[in-house]
Amino acid sequence: MLESNNFGAMLRQWRDRTSPEQAGVQSIGRRRVPGLRREELGRLAGVSADYIKRLEQGQGHPSREVLEALARALRLGRDDYEYFCVLAGYSLAGDGYVPQHIGGGALRLLDRLTDVPVCVCDAAWTVIAWNSSWGSVMGCGPEPGPGRERNVAWRLFVGTPGSIFRSSGRTAHFESTVVADLRRAVIRYPADARLSTLVGDLIAASSRFRSLWEGRADAPAREERVSVRHPDVGDIVVDCDTLSIDDGDLRFILFTAEPGSPQAQRLALAGTVQALPRSAHEPTD
């Protein structure tokens, strides 16, 4: 860490200069400050307002995961994000670590696709951003889950079954895609301990993953048809496309349906249902 509370002071400055509109927060009533409130920033980053206050006061040290969530919530550009990493005492993204920064172009794309359920995954298949339509369709609100529950690979091979269902053949193809991606990520980001630990734990916990990891796992075409189980609307059959974004090594996952079809109507209805938010999980110092 750099001397004095440079990180906390900069966090406060960036919070003050980030408007609710920029962060995608609905502003209600009169505001005493033009920027984000601690409660709003904490909700976007998945931590408590008290934790934000302690960071700004120079108490505690954010994990890299929280640091990246704060940078995304504040819509930091590449230069500011890298400076943020330095202030917090972390190596820059790109130095052998899986990048989790979402560039301006990718953020604008996410903002424009308001009627299309979209989530963004990093190279390790960890969900790092999503729009409100995705939160509603998946029934998870603004918080898709803590820790490993945010990782698609972990949920696919080990964790709690999600809301997306595939036929056995399509599941095998998707498993192969994810394992092939993780294999490339391990080579590309050798310094990332979270990635290597994830792969090691998957090998230990899942014989299916171990078999694919040790064998041949080719990545097929990144489009498929899946069934999404919504708690209120029921099952919705959608086209699921994965788009790769070179800047940041990201994956955009989109749900669409044939315009005017019953599935499109069900998808649109599910996207308007207000999902119950999950409680924030405050990290330990």
Short mmCIF file of all heavy atoms in Angstrom, two decimals, residues 77-125:
data_model
loop_
_atom_site.label_atom_id
_atom_site.label_comp_id
_atom_site.label_asym_id
_atom_site.label_seq_id
_atom_site.Cartn_x
_atom_site.Cartn_y
_atom_site.Cartn_z
N GLY A 77 -12.29 4.44 -16.39
CA GLY A 77 -11.61 4.14 -17.63
C GLY A 77 -10.34 3.35 -17.36
O GLY A 77 -9.95 3.13 -16.21
N ARG A 78 -9.66 2.92 -18.43
CA ARG A 78 -8.49 2.06 -18.28
C ARG A 78 -7.41 2.71 -17.42
O ARG A 78 -6.88 2.10 -16.50
CB ARG A 78 -7.93 1.73 -19.66
CG ARG A 78 -6.60 1.00 -19.65
CD ARG A 78 -6.67 -0.36 -18.99
NE ARG A 78 -7.57 -1.25 -19.66
CZ ARG A 78 -7.78 -2.51 -19.28
NH1 ARG A 78 -7.17 -3.01 -18.21
NH2 ARG A 78 -8.62 -3.28 -19.95
N ASP A 79 -7.06 3.98 -17.67
CA ASP A 79 -5.99 4.64 -16.92
C ASP A 79 -6.34 4.77 -15.45
O ASP A 79 -5.51 4.49 -14.57
CB ASP A 79 -5.68 6.01 -17.52
CG ASP A 79 -5.04 5.94 -18.89
OD1 ASP A 79 -4.53 4.84 -19.24
OD2 ASP A 79 -5.04 6.94 -19.61
N ASP A 80 -7.59 5.21 -15.16
CA ASP A 80 -8.00 5.35 -13.77
C ASP A 80 -8.06 3.99 -13.08
O ASP A 80 -7.71 3.87 -11.89
CB ASP A 80 -9.37 6.02 -13.69
CG ASP A 80 -9.31 7.51 -13.99
OD1 ASP A 80 -8.21 8.08 -13.91
OD2 ASP A 80 -10.36 8.09 -14.32
N TYR A 81 -8.51 2.97 -13.80
CA TYR A 81 -8.56 1.62 -13.22
C TYR A 81 -7.17 1.14 -12.84
O TYR A 81 -6.97 0.59 -11.74
CB TYR A 81 -9.20 0.66 -14.21
CG TYR A 81 -9.07 -0.80 -13.83
CD1 TYR A 81 -9.70 -1.31 -12.70
CD2 TYR A 81 -8.30 -1.66 -14.60
CE1 TYR A 81 -9.58 -2.64 -12.35
CE2 TYR A 81 -8.18 -2.99 -14.25
CZ TYR A 81 -8.81 -3.47 -13.13
OH TYR A 81 -8.68 -4.79 -12.79
N GLU A 82 -6.21 1.33 -13.71
CA GLU A 82 -4.84 0.90 -13.41
C GLU A 82 -4.26 1.68 -12.24
O GLU A 82 -3.54 1.12 -11.40
CB GLU A 82 -3.97 1.03 -14.65
CG GLU A 82 -4.37 0.04 -15.76
CD GLU A 82 -3.47 0.11 -16.97
OE1 GLU A 82 -2.68 1.08 -17.07
OE2 GLU A 82 -3.56 -0.80 -17.82
N TYR A 83 -4.57 2.98 -12.16
CA TYR A 83 -4.12 3.78 -11.02
C TYR A 83 -4.77 3.28 -9.74
O TYR A 83 -4.14 3.22 -8.68
CB TYR A 83 -4.45 5.25 -11.27
CG TYR A 83 -3.95 6.19 -10.21
CD1 TYR A 83 -2.65 6.10 -9.72
CD2 TYR A 83 -4.78 7.18 -9.68
CE1 TYR A 83 -2.19 6.97 -8.74
CE2 TYR A 83 -4.33 8.05 -8.70
CZ TYR A 83 -3.04 7.94 -8.24
OH TYR A 83 -2.59 8.79 -7.27
N PHE A 84 -6.03 2.92 -9.82
CA PHE A 84 -6.77 2.36 -8.68
C PHE A 84 -6.07 1.11 -8.17
O PHE A 84 -5.91 0.92 -6.96
CB PHE A 84 -8.19 2.02 -9.16
CG PHE A 84 -9.25 2.09 -8.09
CD1 PHE A 84 -9.22 3.04 -7.09
CD2 PHE A 84 -10.32 1.20 -8.11
CE1 PHE A 84 -10.21 3.12 -6.14
CE2 PHE A 84 -11.31 1.26 -7.16
CZ PHE A 84 -11.26 2.22 -6.17
N CYS A 85 -5.64 0.23 -9.09
CA CYS A 85 -4.92 -0.98 -8.71
C CYS A 85 -3.63 -0.64 -7.97
O CYS A 85 -3.30 -1.25 -6.94
CB CYS A 85 -4.59 -1.82 -9.95
SG CYS A 85 -6.02 -2.62 -10.73
N VAL A 86 -2.89 0.33 -8.49
CA VAL A 86 -1.62 0.72 -7.87
C VAL A 86 -1.84 1.27 -6.47
O VAL A 86 -1.13 0.92 -5.52
CB VAL A 86 -0.90 1.75 -8.76
CG1 VAL A 86 0.32 2.33 -8.02
CG2 VAL A 86 -0.46 1.12 -10.07
N LEU A 87 -2.84 2.13 -6.32
CA LEU A 87 -3.13 2.70 -5.01
C LEU A 87 -3.48 1.63 -3.98
O LEU A 87 -3.16 1.76 -2.80
CB LEU A 87 -4.29 3.70 -5.11
CG LEU A 87 -3.99 5.03 -5.79
CD1 LEU A 87 -5.26 5.87 -5.85
CD2 LEU A 87 -2.89 5.79 -5.08
N ALA A 88 -4.16 0.57 -4.43
CA ALA A 88 -4.55 -0.51 -3.53
C ALA A 88 -3.44 -1.54 -3.33
O ALA A 88 -3.61 -2.50 -2.57
CB ALA A 88 -5.81 -1.19 -4.05
N GLY A 89 -2.32 -1.37 -4.03
CA GLY A 89 -1.20 -2.28 -3.86
C GLY A 89 -1.25 -3.54 -4.68
O GLY A 89 -0.59 -4.53 -4.34
N TYR A 90 -2.01 -3.53 -5.77
CA TYR A 90 -2.13 -4.71 -6.62
C TYR A 90 -1.40 -4.52 -7.94
O TYR A 90 -1.28 -3.40 -8.43
CB TYR A 90 -3.61 -5.02 -6.91
CG TYR A 90 -4.36 -5.57 -5.72
CD1 TYR A 90 -5.29 -4.77 -5.05
CD2 TYR A 90 -4.13 -6.86 -5.26
CE1 TYR A 90 -5.99 -5.25 -3.96
CE2 TYR A 90 -4.82 -7.35 -4.17
CZ TYR A 90 -5.75 -6.55 -3.52
OH TYR A 90 -6.43 -7.04 -2.43
N SER A 91 -0.96 -5.64 -8.52
CA SER A 91 -0.37 -5.60 -9.84
C SER A 91 -1.42 -5.19 -10.85
O SER A 91 -2.62 -5.44 -10.66
CB SER A 91 0.21 -6.97 -10.22
OG SER A 91 1.20 -7.37 -9.31
N LEU A 92 -0.98 -4.59 -11.93
CA LEU A 92 -1.91 -4.16 -12.96
C LEU A 92 -2.52 -5.35 -13.66
O LEU A 92 -1.88 -6.38 -13.83
CB LEU A 92 -1.20 -3.27 -13.98
CG LEU A 92 -0.61 -1.97 -13.44
CD1 LEU A 92 0.05 -1.20 -14.58
CD2 LEU A 92 -1.68 -1.11 -12.78
N ALA A 93 -3.76 -5.19 -14.09
CA ALA A 93 -4.37 -6.22 -14.92
C ALA A 93 -3.53 -6.37 -16.18
O ALA A 93 -3.06 -5.41 -16.76
CB ALA A 93 -5.80 -5.81 -15.29
N GLY A 94 -3.32 -7.57 -16.60
CA GLY A 94 -2.48 -7.82 -17.77
C GLY A 94 -1.14 -8.40 -17.37
O GLY A 94 -0.45 -8.99 -18.20
N ASP A 95 -0.75 -8.26 -16.10
CA ASP A 95 0.50 -8.83 -15.63
C ASP A 95 0.28 -10.27 -15.19
O ASP A 95 0.63 -10.66 -14.08
CB ASP A 95 1.05 -8.00 -14.45
CG ASP A 95 1.50 -6.62 -14.89
OD1 ASP A 95 1.62 -6.40 -16.11
OD2 ASP A 95 1.73 -5.77 -14.03
N GLY A 96 -0.32 -11.06 -16.06
CA GLY A 96 -0.55 -12.46 -15.74
C GLY A 96 -1.82 -12.73 -14.96
O GLY A 96 -2.02 -13.83 -14.47
N TYR A 97 -2.68 -11.71 -14.81
CA TYR A 97 -3.92 -11.86 -14.06
C TYR A 97 -5.12 -11.77 -15.01
O TYR A 97 -5.09 -11.01 -15.99
CB TYR A 97 -4.05 -10.78 -12.99
CG TYR A 97 -3.03 -10.90 -11.88
CD1 TYR A 97 -1.80 -10.28 -12.00
CD2 TYR A 97 -3.31 -11.64 -10.74
CE1 TYR A 97 -0.85 -10.39 -10.98
CE2 TYR A 97 -2.37 -11.76 -9.72
CZ TYR A 97 -1.14 -11.12 -9.85
OH TYR A 97 -0.21 -11.24 -8.85
N VAL A 98 -6.18 -12.50 -14.69
CA VAL A 98 -7.41 -12.43 -15.49
C VAL A 98 -7.97 -11.01 -15.37
O VAL A 98 -8.29 -10.56 -14.27
CB VAL A 98 -8.45 -13.44 -14.99
CG1 VAL A 98 -9.78 -13.24 -15.72
CG2 VAL A 98 -7.95 -14.86 -15.19
N PRO A 99 -8.11 -10.30 -16.49
CA PRO A 99 -8.68 -8.94 -16.40
C PRO A 99 -10.16 -8.99 -16.10
O PRO A 99 -10.88 -9.85 -16.61
CB PRO A 99 -8.41 -8.37 -17.81
CG PRO A 99 -8.29 -9.56 -18.69
CD PRO A 99 -7.72 -10.67 -17.85
N GLN A 100 -10.59 -8.09 -15.24
CA GLN A 100 -12.01 -7.98 -14.92
C GLN A 100 -12.54 -6.58 -15.16
O GLN A 100 -13.66 -6.25 -14.77
CB GLN A 100 -12.27 -8.40 -13.47
CG GLN A 100 -12.06 -9.89 -13.23
CD GLN A 100 -12.65 -10.34 -11.92
OE1 GLN A 100 -12.54 -9.66 -10.90
NE2 GLN A 100 -13.30 -11.48 -11.92
N HIS A 101 -11.73 -5.77 -15.83
CA HIS A 101 -12.17 -4.42 -16.16
C HIS A 101 -13.00 -4.46 -17.43
O HIS A 101 -12.65 -5.14 -18.39
CB HIS A 101 -10.96 -3.51 -16.36
CG HIS A 101 -11.33 -2.11 -16.74
ND1 HIS A 101 -11.93 -1.24 -15.87
CD2 HIS A 101 -11.20 -1.44 -17.91
CE1 HIS A 101 -12.14 -0.10 -16.47
NE2 HIS A 101 -11.71 -0.18 -17.72
N ILE A 102 -14.11 -3.73 -17.43
CA ILE A 102 -14.97 -3.63 -18.61
C ILE A 102 -14.74 -2.27 -19.24
O ILE A 102 -14.98 -1.24 -18.61
CB ILE A 102 -16.45 -3.81 -18.25
CG1 ILE A 102 -16.66 -5.15 -17.54
CG2 ILE A 102 -17.33 -3.74 -19.48
CD1 ILE A 102 -18.07 -5.38 -17.09
N GLY A 103 -14.23 -2.27 -20.46
CA GLY A 103 -13.92 -1.03 -21.15
C GLY A 103 -15.16 -0.22 -21.50
O GLY A 103 -16.30 -0.69 -21.41
N GLY A 104 -14.92 1.03 -21.94
CA GLY A 104 -16.02 1.93 -22.23
C GLY A 104 -16.93 1.41 -23.32
O GLY A 104 -18.16 1.51 -23.21
N GLY A 105 -16.36 0.83 -24.39
CA GLY A 105 -17.19 0.31 -25.47
C GLY A 105 -18.08 -0.82 -25.01
O GLY A 105 -19.27 -0.88 -25.36
N ALA A 106 -17.53 -1.74 -24.21
CA ALA A 106 -18.32 -2.86 -23.70
C ALA A 106 -19.41 -2.38 -22.75
O ALA A 106 -20.54 -2.90 -22.75
CB ALA A 106 -17.42 -3.87 -23.01
N LEU A 107 -19.09 -1.36 -21.94
CA LEU A 107 -20.10 -0.82 -21.02
C LEU A 107 -21.24 -0.16 -21.78
O LEU A 107 -22.41 -0.31 -21.42
CB LEU A 107 -19.45 0.19 -20.07
CG LEU A 107 -18.82 -0.35 -18.80
CD1 LEU A 107 -18.11 0.77 -18.04
CD2 LEU A 107 -19.84 -1.03 -17.91
N ARG A 108 -20.89 0.57 -22.85
CA ARG A 108 -21.94 1.22 -23.64
C ARG A 108 -22.83 0.17 -24.31
O ARG A 108 -24.05 0.35 -24.42
CB ARG A 108 -21.31 2.16 -24.67
CG ARG A 108 -20.77 3.45 -24.06
CD ARG A 108 -20.36 4.44 -25.13
NE ARG A 108 -19.20 3.99 -25.88
CZ ARG A 108 -17.94 4.21 -25.50
NH1 ARG A 108 -17.69 4.86 -24.37
NH2 ARG A 108 -16.93 3.78 -26.24
N LEU A 109 -22.22 -0.91 -24.76
CA LEU A 109 -23.00 -1.99 -25.35
C LEU A 109 -23.96 -2.58 -24.33
O LEU A 109 -25.14 -2.82 -24.62
CB LEU A 109 -22.07 -3.07 -25.90
CG LEU A 109 -22.73 -4.31 -26.52
CD1 LEU A 109 -23.60 -3.91 -27.70
CD2 LEU A 109 -21.67 -5.32 -26.94
N LEU A 110 -23.47 -2.81 -23.11
CA LEU A 110 -24.30 -3.36 -22.05
C LEU A 110 -25.44 -2.40 -21.72
O LEU A 110 -26.59 -2.82 -21.49
CB LEU A 110 -23.45 -3.63 -20.81
CG LEU A 110 -24.12 -4.33 -19.62
CD1 LEU A 110 -24.58 -5.72 -20.01
CD2 LEU A 110 -23.17 -4.39 -18.44
N ASP A 111 -25.15 -1.09 -21.69
CA ASP A 111 -26.17 -0.10 -21.37
C ASP A 111 -27.25 -0.02 -22.44
O ASP A 111 -28.42 0.21 -22.14
CB ASP A 111 -25.52 1.29 -21.22
CG ASP A 111 -24.69 1.41 -19.95
OD1 ASP A 111 -24.91 0.60 -19.03
OD2 ASP A 111 -23.82 2.29 -19.89
N ARG A 112 -26.88 -0.22 -23.70
CA ARG A 112 -27.84 -0.08 -24.80
C ARG A 112 -28.77 -1.29 -24.92
O ARG A 112 -29.90 -1.17 -25.41
CB ARG A 112 -27.11 0.13 -26.12
CG ARG A 112 -26.49 1.50 -26.25
CD ARG A 112 -25.71 1.65 -27.53
NE ARG A 112 -25.12 2.97 -27.59
CZ ARG A 112 -25.29 3.83 -28.59
NH1 ARG A 112 -26.07 3.51 -29.58
NH2 ARG A 112 -24.71 5.01 -28.57
N LEU A 113 -28.30 -2.45 -24.48
CA LEU A 113 -29.10 -3.66 -24.62
C LEU A 113 -30.06 -3.81 -23.44
O LEU A 113 -30.06 -4.80 -22.73
CB LEU A 113 -28.19 -4.88 -24.73
CG LEU A 113 -27.31 -4.93 -25.98
CD1 LEU A 113 -26.32 -6.08 -25.90
CD2 LEU A 113 -28.17 -5.07 -27.24
N THR A 114 -30.88 -2.80 -23.24
CA THR A 114 -31.76 -2.79 -22.06
C THR A 114 -32.86 -3.84 -22.14
O THR A 114 -33.30 -4.36 -21.12
CB THR A 114 -32.40 -1.40 -21.88
OG1 THR A 114 -33.06 -1.04 -23.11
CG2 THR A 114 -31.33 -0.36 -21.57
N ASP A 115 -33.31 -4.16 -23.35
CA ASP A 115 -34.41 -5.12 -23.50
C ASP A 115 -33.93 -6.54 -23.73
O ASP A 115 -34.75 -7.46 -23.88
CB ASP A 115 -35.32 -4.70 -24.68
CG ASP A 115 -35.98 -3.35 -24.42
OD1 ASP A 115 -36.22 -3.03 -23.25
OD2 ASP A 115 -36.26 -2.64 -25.41
N VAL A 116 -32.63 -6.73 -23.77
CA VAL A 116 -32.05 -8.06 -24.00
C VAL A 116 -31.32 -8.49 -22.73
O VAL A 116 -30.44 -7.78 -22.24
CB VAL A 116 -31.06 -8.04 -25.18
CG1 VAL A 116 -30.43 -9.42 -25.38
CG2 VAL A 116 -31.75 -7.59 -26.45
N PRO A 117 -31.67 -9.65 -22.15
CA PRO A 117 -30.94 -10.12 -20.97
C PRO A 117 -29.48 -10.42 -21.33
O PRO A 117 -29.21 -11.23 -22.22
CB PRO A 117 -31.69 -11.40 -20.58
CG PRO A 117 -33.04 -11.27 -21.21
CD PRO A 117 -32.81 -10.52 -22.49
N VAL A 118 -28.56 -9.73 -20.65
CA VAL A 118 -27.14 -9.87 -20.94
C VAL A 118 -26.36 -9.95 -19.64
O VAL A 118 -26.63 -9.20 -18.70
CB VAL A 118 -26.59 -8.67 -21.75
CG1 VAL A 118 -25.12 -8.88 -22.09
CG2 VAL A 118 -27.40 -8.44 -23.01
N CYS A 119 -25.39 -10.86 -19.60
CA CYS A 119 -24.41 -10.84 -18.51
C CYS A 119 -23.03 -10.90 -19.14
O CYS A 119 -22.85 -11.30 -20.28
CB CYS A 119 -24.62 -11.97 -17.51
SG CYS A 119 -23.93 -13.57 -18.00
N VAL A 120 -22.03 -10.45 -18.37
CA VAL A 120 -20.65 -10.40 -18.84
C VAL A 120 -19.80 -11.29 -17.94
O VAL A 120 -19.87 -11.18 -16.70
CB VAL A 120 -20.11 -8.96 -18.82
CG1 VAL A 120 -18.70 -8.92 -19.42
CG2 VAL A 120 -21.04 -8.03 -19.58
N CYS A 121 -19.02 -12.17 -18.57
CA CYS A 121 -18.10 -13.05 -17.83
C CYS A 121 -16.66 -12.71 -18.20
O CYS A 121 -16.38 -12.28 -19.33
CB CYS A 121 -18.36 -14.51 -18.15
SG CYS A 121 -19.97 -15.13 -17.61
N ASP A 122 -15.76 -12.93 -17.27
CA ASP A 122 -14.34 -12.76 -17.59
C ASP A 122 -13.81 -14.06 -18.20
O ASP A 122 -14.56 -14.99 -18.47
CB ASP A 122 -13.54 -12.34 -16.35
CG ASP A 122 -13.56 -13.39 -15.24
OD1 ASP A 122 -13.94 -14.56 -15.50
OD2 ASP A 122 -13.18 -13.05 -14.11
N ALA A 123 -12.49 -14.12 -18.41
CA ALA A 123 -11.89 -15.27 -19.07
C ALA A 123 -11.98 -16.54 -18.24
O ALA A 123 -11.82 -17.65 -18.77
CB ALA A 123 -10.43 -14.98 -19.40
N ALA A 124 -12.25 -16.41 -16.94
CA ALA A 124 -12.41 -17.57 -16.06
C ALA A 124 -13.88 -17.96 -15.90
O ALA A 124 -14.21 -18.79 -15.08
CB ALA A 124 -11.80 -17.29 -14.69
N TRP A 125 -14.74 -17.34 -16.69
CA TRP A 125 -16.19 -17.58 -16.65
C TRP A 125 -16.82 -17.19 -15.32
O TRP A 125 -17.74 -17.83 -14.82
CB TRP A 125 -16.54 -19.03 -16.99
CG TRP A 125 -16.53 -19.29 -18.47
CD1 TRP A 125 -15.46 -19.70 -19.22
CD2 TRP A 125 -17.61 -19.13 -19.39
NE1 TRP A 125 -15.80 -19.80 -20.54
CE2 TRP A 125 -17.12 -19.47 -20.69
CE3 TRP A 125 -18.93 -18.76 -19.27
CZ2 TRP A 125 -17.92 -19.42 -21.82
CZ3 TRP A 125 -19.73 -18.72 -20.39
CH2 TRP A 125 -19.23 -19.05 -21.66
#
